[in-house]
Amino acid sequence: MLYATLKLLHILSIVVWIGGMVFAHFFLRPALLQLPPPQRLPLMHGVLQRFFSAVLVAIGVVLVTGLWMIGRVAKESVQAGLSFNMPLDWTLMATLGLVMMAIFGHIRFALFKRLSKAVAAQDWPAGGAALGSIRTWVSVNLAIGLVIIVITLLMA
């Protein structure tokens, strides 16, 4: 029961992260392009601030639950007298997940900081540039996230 609960939390956290990127990239951003920069950038800043806070929590949940599930299977293998060899799909999922987390760190702690400063200064060209960089890296993370989903579903 504990394993199933942790797996559920793991997947729900990923749904929040990937789903949020899909929503922001394909639905929110195009709709906001109708607004002028002095309205669009502060609104997008507020949305991203809330979303990035949720992603930080989701990342924490993904890390804790993922490590616990891998550790549990490894422990059970060793207790049964077997060696533990992590399956290839788990290895790819974990590796690409860590890459996504590193990219998110760059987005949140470097690019979003630039956006925050630009919005506070009402420097709309700098804010637009920061938002463009965020969009590019979110696209990369979204692509990696989709690759992870495909790998885990097709290799399982």
Side-chain angles (χ1 to χ4, degrees), residues 67-150:
L67 289 172
W68 189 92
M69 289 185 291
I70 291 169
R72 178 172 178 235
V73 172
K75 180 181 175 185
E76 288 175 356
S77 295
V78 170
Q79 287 176 340
L82 305 169
S83 63
F84 174 69
N85 294 316
M86 195 155 82
L88 179 60
D89 60 327
W90 289 15
T91 302
L92 292 171
M93 177 179 20
T95 302
L96 292 174
L98 291 172
V99 169
M100 285 182 69
M101 291 173 198
I103 290 170
F104 174 76
H106 175 65
I107 292 168
R108 173 60 186 89
F109 299 110
L111 301 178
F112 185 71
K113 188 175 184 179
R114 289 183 206 157
L115 176 62
S116 296
K117 287 181 182 179
V119 168
Q122 297 184 354
D123 182 351
W124 308 128
L131 202 51
S133 295
I134 290 170
R135 183 178 67 248
T136 298
W137 283 107
V138 165
S139 297
V140 170
N141 248 5
L142 180 56
I144 294 170
L146 294 175
V147 166
I148 292 170
I149 291 169
V150 168

Side-chain angles (χ1 to χ4, degrees), residues 13-106:
S13 294
I14 292 165
V15 167
V16 167
W17 191 1
I18 302 288
M21 289 191 292
V22 167
F23 173 77
H25 192 72
F26 293 107
F27 302 99
L28 179 61
R29 183 185 151 274
L32 290 180
L33 288 176
Q34 298 174 17
L35 297 175
Q39 293 175 336
R40 178 175 63 243
L41 291 171
L43 178 58
M44 200 61 190
H45 177 268
V47 169
L48 290 176
Q49 188 169 30
R50 288 170 181 81
F51 176 60
F52 291 164
S53 294
V55 171
L56 281 172
V57 172
I59 285 173
V61 171
V62 166
L63 274 173
V64 169
T65 58
L67 289 172
W68 189 92
M69 289 185 291
I70 291 169
R72 178 172 178 235
V73 172
K75 180 181 175 185
E76 288 175 356
S77 295
V78 170
Q79 287 176 340
L82 305 169
S83 63
F84 174 69
N85 294 316
M86 195 155 82
L88 179 60
D89 60 327
W90 289 15
T91 302
L92 292 171
M93 177 179 20
T95 302
L96 292 174
L98 291 172
V99 169
M100 285 182 69
M101 291 173 198
I103 290 170
F104 174 76
H106 175 65

